[in-house]
Amino acid sequence: MREHHTEMTGHHTLRSTEEAVGDRLGGLNLDFEAMWAVSNIYRASTAIRNHLEQTVLRDTGLTWTGFVVMWVVWIWGESETRHVAKEAGIAKGTLTGVLKTLESHRYVRRAPNPADRRRVMVTLTSSGERLMRTLFPQFNQEEAFVVKELDSQRRRALAASLRVVVQHLEGTVRP
Amino acid sequence: MREHHTEMTGHHTLRSTEEAVGDRLGGLNLDFEAMWAVSNIYRASTAIRNHLEQTVLRDTGLTWTGFVVMWVVWIWGESETRHVAKEAGIAKGTLTGVLKTLESHRYVRRAPNPADRRRVMVTLTSSGERLMRTLFPQFNQEEAFVVKELDSQRRRALAASLRVVVQHLEGTVRP
DNA sequence: GAAATATTGTTCGGGACCAAATCCTTGATG
DNA sequence: CATCAAGGATTTGGTCCCGAACAATATTTC
C-alpha cells in the first residue's frame, strides 16, 4: 500500500486521516483491512449523500429521507407503511413524521386499508409522481458522476461486494 | 399469523427490491451500474451502522455520532472543533450539540484556545480515553464480522474503490 | 364468545442534524 | 485609533431519528 502525499495543504484529507490512524493504532492488534473497508463505506455514503443533497435535492424542498421514502413508494406502488419504513431504512415512528411532512407538501397521501383498519397505505399524488419523473433521471445522472472514476468492472464488483455485506448482516438473526 | 399482503411481493429482500426497480424502470435510459453501486453503498452503510449500534454501542449510552466524534478526537488528539466536525462529517452547529451531550457524560472537555479566543479545543477526559480503549477493539471485531464473507483481496478492492469515489467527490470544488 | 395475545401506526421525549441568523473575536483598512 | 470585514463558535427553527409507551384493531386460545 503505497501512499504518498500529493500536497501538504495543512488540511486533513482522506489520506492523512488514514495515516493518523496508522500512527495512533499501529501497535495494536487490529483487523485493518476490515477497518478500512468499513470506514470507507461510511465515508463514501456521507460524501454521496451530501453531494446529492447539494445537487439534485437542493431546490426541491425535499430532504434526503423524504426523497428515499418517495422513491420507495414510486418503485413499489401503493404500499403499507411498515414496508416503506423497512425499505427506506428508518424506524416506523420516524416514517410517521416524514409522511406528515410529505403530506403537507401534497406529494403523498395516506389511505386506510379497509380490510385491516390497523394498516395504512401510502400512495404518491399525481404531483408527487410528476416530481419523481423529473427528479429521478437527474438523480441517476449524479449517481453516474459519483462513480465516474471507476470502470464498469469495478462498479459491478463494488456493488457485488456490498450486496454480500448487506445480505450477511440482514441474514444474521438477532435474538 | 401469516402475512396476507400477498402474492408476488412476498418478502422484501435486497434481491426483490432490485427486481422491482428493474420492473419499474426497465424501459428508461438509465445508468443501472451506477445506480446499483451507489444504492448499495447507502444500503450497506445503513446496515453496518444499525449493526454496530445494536452490538458495540448498545449499552454504552453513546450514539453513533457521539462515538464517531470521540473517535476523531481520540485519533487526532486535542483538536479544533472545526476540524472535528469536518472529520466526523457533520455540520459545525450539530457538533456544538453533540459536544454538549458528550460533556454532560464527562467524556470530553472543551478548552478555549488562549491564542485566539474565537477557537475552541476539544480533548478526551481520562474517562473518555478509557472508554475508547475498551470500546474500539470491540468495534473493530464487529467490523471484521461485517466483512467476514469477503476475502482479503475483495476487502482491499472495496476500500480502494470507495476511496476513489470519496476523493472524486471531495476533490470536486463546488461553486 | 370472551379473554388473552399480537400486530399496526401514532405519540412522545431526547438527541442528531442542517442552514441561516447571531454573537464574539481578530485582522485589515482608512 | 476606529471602523469594518472576515472568521470563529453558538443559537434557532424545522426536520429527522430512534426506542418505548400507547391505543386501536385483529387473531388465537380457552
Side-chain angles (χ1 to χ4, degrees):
Chain A
M1 180 191 312
R2 87 184 99 221
E3 313 235 335
H4 63 90
H5 282 288
T6 49
E7 220 173 329
M8 293 299 262
T9 61
H11 277 326
H12 305 110
T13 63
L14 185 56
R15 174 156 291 129
S16 64
T17 296
E18 297 202 353
E19 279 174 8
V21 171
D23 293 350
R24 187 71 175 77
L25 304 178
L28 282 63
N29 179 24
L30 295 170
D31 185 336
F32 282 92
E33 273 180 15
M35 186 171 148
W36 296 138
V38 169
S39 69
N40 278 304
I41 291 172
Y42 190 65
R43 212 172 253 280
S45 165
T46 304
I48 291 170
R49 178 172 170 163
N50 286 342
H51 178 74
L52 293 172
E53 283 175 342
Q54 299 301 325
T55 54
V56 182
L57 264 35
R58 163 156 284 268
D59 301 314
T60 63
L62 279 184
T63 62
W64 173 266
T65 304
F67 178 80
V68 170
V69 166
M70 287 187 63
W71 181 83
V72 169
V73 180
W74 190 51
I75 293 299
W76 287 93
E78 177 171 56
S79 310
E80 306 186 0
T81 55
R82 186 166 44 101
H83 171 215
V84 175
K86 183 146 193 232
E87 283 293 318
I90 59 179
K92 58 183 185 168
T94 303
L95 181 63
T96 299
V98 174
L99 286 179
K100 204 177 294 182
T101 304
L102 290 175
E103 264 189 318
S104 78
H105 293 310
R106 309 256 182 265
Y107 288 146
V108 304
R109 203 181 309 113
R110 275 181 172 85
N113 184 336
D116 182 342
R117 282 150 58 203
R118 291 172 305 185
R119 288 173 159 86
V120 172
M121 309 297 287
V122 187
T123 54
L124 293 191
T125 62
S126 54
S127 137
E129 183 91 26
R130 206 160 41 241
L131 182 63
M132 287 309 287
R133 259 201 302 270
T134 64
L135 226 48
F136 192 75
Q138 295 173 42
F139 202 87
N140 184 245
Q141 215 169 318
E142 291 300 329
E143 286 176 328
F145 174 78
V146 163
V147 295
K148 186 160 76 90
E149 303 291 327
L150 299 176
D151 61 34
S152 176
Q153 195 199 325
R154 277 177 231 275
R155 290 177 199 179
R156 285 201 298 268
L158 177 60
S161 288
L162 292 167
R163 262 181 219 110
V164 168
V165 167
V166 171
Q167 283 174 351
H168 171 55
L169 290 180
E170 292 186 347
T172 302
V173 186
R174 219 182 314 290
Chain B
M1 36 239 111
R2 67 193 50 178
E3 317 237 347
H4 337 306
H5 77 301
T6 37
E7 33 294 334
M8 46 196 164
T9 60
H11 272 318
H12 307 111
T13 62
L14 186 56
R15 178 168 306 285
S16 65
T17 297
E18 297 201 354
E19 279 171 8
V21 170
D23 294 349
R24 186 73 176 75
L25 304 177
L28 282 64
N29 180 23
L30 295 169
D31 186 336
F32 282 92
E33 273 180 16
M35 186 171 147
W36 296 139
V38 169
S39 68
N40 278 305
I41 291 172
Y42 190 65
R43 210 174 257 279
S45 164
T46 304
I48 291 170
R49 176 171 169 162
N50 286 341
H51 177 75
L52 293 173
E53 283 176 341
Q54 298 302 324
T55 54
V56 182
L57 264 35
R58 164 156 283 268
D59 300 314
T60 64
L62 279 184
T63 63
W64 173 265
T65 304
F67 178 81
V68 170
V69 165
M70 286 186 63
W71 181 83
V72 169
V73 180
W74 189 51
I75 293 299
W76 287 94
E78 177 169 57
S79 309
E80 306 188 1
T81 55
R82 191 164 39 98
H83 171 215
V84 175
K86 184 147 192 233
E87 283 292 320
I90 59 179
K92 57 181 183 169
T94 302
L95 181 62
T96 299
V98 173
L99 286 180
K100 203 176 295 182
T101 304
L102 290 175
E103 264 190 317
S104 78
H105 293 310
R106 307 256 183 266
Y107 288 146
V108 304
R109 203 181 310 111
R110 275 181 174 85
N113 184 337
D116 183 343
R117 280 150 57 202
R118 294 172 301 187
R119 288 175 159 83
V120 172
M121 310 296 287
V122 188
T123 54
L124 293 191
T125 62
S126 53
S127 136
E129 183 93 23
R130 205 160 41 238
L131 183 62
M132 288 308 288
R133 258 201 303 270
T134 63
L135 227 47
F136 191 75
Q138 296 172 40
F139 202 86
N140 183 246
Q141 213 171 319
E142 291 300 330
E143 287 175 327
F145 173 78
V146 163
V147 296
K148 187 160 76 90
E149 301 293 327
L150 300 175
D151 61 34
S152 175
Q153 194 198 325
R154 278 178 230 277
R155 289 177 200 181
R156 285 201 299 266
L158 176 61
S161 288
L162 292 168
R163 262 182 219 111
V164 168
V165 166
V166 171
Q167 283 173 353
H168 175 229
L169 290 180
E170 292 186 347
T172 301
V173 186
R174 221 183 310 292

